[in-house]
Amino acid sequence: MDIKTEVLIIGGGATGTGIARDLSLRAIPCVLVEKGDLASGASGRNHGLLHSGARYAVSDPEAARECISENRILRRIAGHCIEETGGLFISLSEDSPQFRERFLMACEEAGIPTALYSRDQALELEPELNPDLLSAVKVPDGAINPFELVRANAKDAERHGAKLLFHTGITSLLIDQNQVRGGLALDLLSGEDYKIEASFVVNATGAWVNQVLKLAGLRIDMALSKGSMLITNQRLNQRVINRCRPASDGDIVVPNETVSILGTTSVRSEEVEDFEVTPPEVSLLLTEASRMIPAIRGARLIRAYAGIRPLFQSGGTGGDRQISRSFALIDHGERDGLKNLMTITGGKLITYRLMAERTSDLICRKMGVDVSCSTHLKPLPVVAESLRPKDRLQKIAPGGEVLCDCELVRREELEEILETMQFRDIRDILHRTRLAKGTCQGGFCVYRLLGLLHESGLVKESPNKVLKAFLEERWKGIRPILWGGALKEEELIESIYKGIFNLKDSVEFGVGSSE
Amino acid sequence: MHFDLIVIGMGLSGLMAAKTASESGSKVLILGKGMGALCLFSNTIDLLETLPKGMKLDEGLSQWIKDHPQHPYSKVGAKIVEEALTSFTSLFPLPYSFVSAGDGNSLLPTGAGTLRPTYLIPTTMVAGASVREQGGLIVGFKGFKDFYPDYAATLLGCRSLTLPPFRTFHEEITAAGLARSMEKESFREEIGREIRREMGNETRVGFPAVLGVRDPWGVKKGLEETIGAEVFEIPILPPSIPGMRIFNRFKEWLVQRGVTVLLGHSVSKAILRGRRCEGIRVSNPPLSSFYSADRYILSTGRFVGGGLVANEEKIYEPIFDLPVSQPRSREEWFRKSFFSNLSHPVHQAGILTDSSLRPVDDKGERVLENVWIAGSILAGHDSTNEKSREGVEIATGYMAAKCAMKK
Ligand SMILES: Cc1cc2nc3c(=O)[nH]c(=O)nc-3n(C[C@H](O)[C@H](O)[C@H](O)COP(=O)(O)OP(=O)(O)OC[C@H]3O[C@@H](n4cnc5c(N)ncnc54)[C@H](O)[C@@H]3O)c2cc1C
């Protein structure tokens, strides 16, 4: 089933889906391939902060200006993915007062509105803040749901004619003379491979950009920086809380629906896929974040996770926190003499739209067409039903089955989703519901999900194989936070799967295996 | 009030200890926060996974003891383990009793369609042991989210049947709710008719383990009459109805024997003088009371039960602040892979004891003279991975009481 199109986009994160939407709104045919599910790269593993730009105001004014401008646009076009919480940059006794003055000035220069609050005013707004704080600066930070954002872009792109292929990787590039002509795609679930011919190829693979460029014998200078985050099982703050000091580790707490997310760290990484949150990172995050919100010390953590920041290095030295958060659009025709291939990387989640606009503009120039961008004007579609717990509670009919008790996910809700999607992998459904996102992280409900999938004839292999793979993946997020209440619950969960169900690493008693 | 013995913790080990002590004529108080892991995980009596079919119990145990000198079984000894098991089974006379299928473990089907080795099984589960060879019909209930008959049946090579929702249920269907309904004859007849209609040439029918709490054998017989085939139970997710049966039987027996049983009471503090415990403060909000005894048995379980508590740095024992043997740092508690074939080191953590089950420090010095330790809080075993949970609880509960009541 070879495919012909105008633009082949590699990567289904915010950037790739943003480009697919932008191009299709301009009526330019495109095909997007993503080797995992939607947002399985950094777009699904970040802090979910709708930056106001304030964090970068002092050190990286260009990124700051991009952020505030995109922040305003996203509030307009993606309101349903955003909670307009506002943010505070708090100064503690050890933070320099001079920095705060520079910070206020830099925000003003970047066009970021601020207001200065006294200690008492700040504590009134956020009672859990460290009472030793000196002052707080209010900025228009917010919380953004990255999955909703990416899904909304994908949906709008498809609606306008783009074709999106998931669980499909690009394994080589079709190169003819000095020009790229498409790529070879591999369906990772079925093993089928086919050609995608295209006039242009966009490499929007974030931290993987060099793996794709390698297919053409090229590379660019990237710094891969792992960042780790921790999730608490309650929401401790109403606004985004930042530390008013040069950007550092553990100095942001983002509220997200019913939880708070503490982050981040910055550790240079060579690995793009196989990385973990280490115990020293957990300790660092807790120590730093509890300086801002002391209640974090006693809070029940539900998960640790990490992502890899794709940072583009345009030369210069210094730590990874100093590398610009601005993005890079590279025309490999100009840079390397390989025409019609471009790479777009770096940047932030919230600058994805601008990155997509610039990329699409470049393609239009090359195609000689003159249609301008409209993504900043047209609102994104709403994809999911409301995920707020209050709304969920109302939907539970008497006698109804709540499969996920932590997040109140009903059986009917899952059945509806299964009807509207083409089910290929358990992760597809986990990305589309709140199931397994709560305190037990799926410890109880994933068995139930498998029961339902099995009933519907959707599990092709042994359900226990899928179950074990899920538990192993879940473990990566759980293991770093196992003490207190979390450890207690984990003892129960391990006893269920290894004890009552007797699931094991390799040996499994069941039909088809020998005892 | 003063007792000969106070047992702290009402899981299987505490119940066994209270039973054993009261049989020796002592005045016993047993108290606990809840019903312990018993009502979560215990469906059958596990002894050891490595007790192959056909191997004699004492033979298998002796080998294990030789290889694992620090294991609780090694403190108890094979002979007393057997004695303890006999004492346990004596509480459950036929028809609802615990039996072993000849020597060694039986393989019983589970809610995940796997087979699981276990030693003593309730008579309501016996017919499940041959389900893989003989086939059967696995039955579940639409709307009951903790059992999926199709999932289990496919893996076990059986057929499945999901019964439609019944009028009886206005709320969410739970294991406890199903167990209550099962005790009603009208309900059994209603589902029995439905099953009979769907029966092929199967000679046995498997249900999730919810065949009533009070009279499971009667429920089984009742179902068998309407269906016309042999019925068995399959262990499922917690809570465990078979575990509740064990708990209820112990409680009834203990109360009858004059043991003071206080459920929903937790010990807030032990009062120590030197190496002796002089009493315990017990809270049962809004009340707080004081009890004392000559001897004490600590059987508060592990993390789920609250016998052990872990903070960011270490694992501790909250009532007596006993030394807890544990890995050097939190980093070593768990292995990188969940299904590692080596068990997670944290499971071996617990209270070290001497051969009489009295607590000792890391140098082997006894730390308390009138306190004995029983159950899963003991160091040096991993009940989930060894499949030794109930065996260790029964054996050490029995042994702790024997040692405590000596002289
Ligand atoms: C710890 C951390 C915290 C962050 N916090 C924030 C924040 O709070 N706010 C914010 O705005 N930004 C934040 N960011 C930055 C933001 O997450 C990223 O900049 C953004 O998500 C990058 O999106 P992307 O689409 O370019 O890359 P990705 O989302 O990584 O997408 C690339 C995709 O390409 C796919 N791919 C790779 N190779 C192939 C192939 N050969 N074939 C097919 N597909 C392929 C991958 O599977 C992946 O899905 C954070 C980043 C990290 C790591």
Side-chain angles (χ1 to χ4, degrees), chain A residues 138-159:
Chain A
K138 181 187 169 216
V139 298
D141 280 348
I144 186 158
N145 182 329
F147 289 101
E148 287 299 291
L149 182 72
V150 176
R151 281 165 63 193
N153 274 283
K155 181 167 180 180
D156 209 34
E158 280 182 319
R159 216 195 243 170

Side-chain angles (χ1 to χ4, degrees), chain A residues 10-16 33-36 40-43 45-49 51 168-170 204-206 208 212 227 229 264 307-310 346-350:
Chain A
I10 315 175
T15 311
V33 290
E34 162 57 51
K35 69 182 174 61
S40 48
S43 300
R45 311 185 134 264
N46 59 65
H47 210 164
L49 169 57
H51 283 280
T168 303
I170 289 295
T205 53
W208 289 262
V212 171
M229 289 142 288
T264 61
I308 302 287
R309 298 181 188 89
K348 301 292 298 173
L349 176 76
I350 73 146

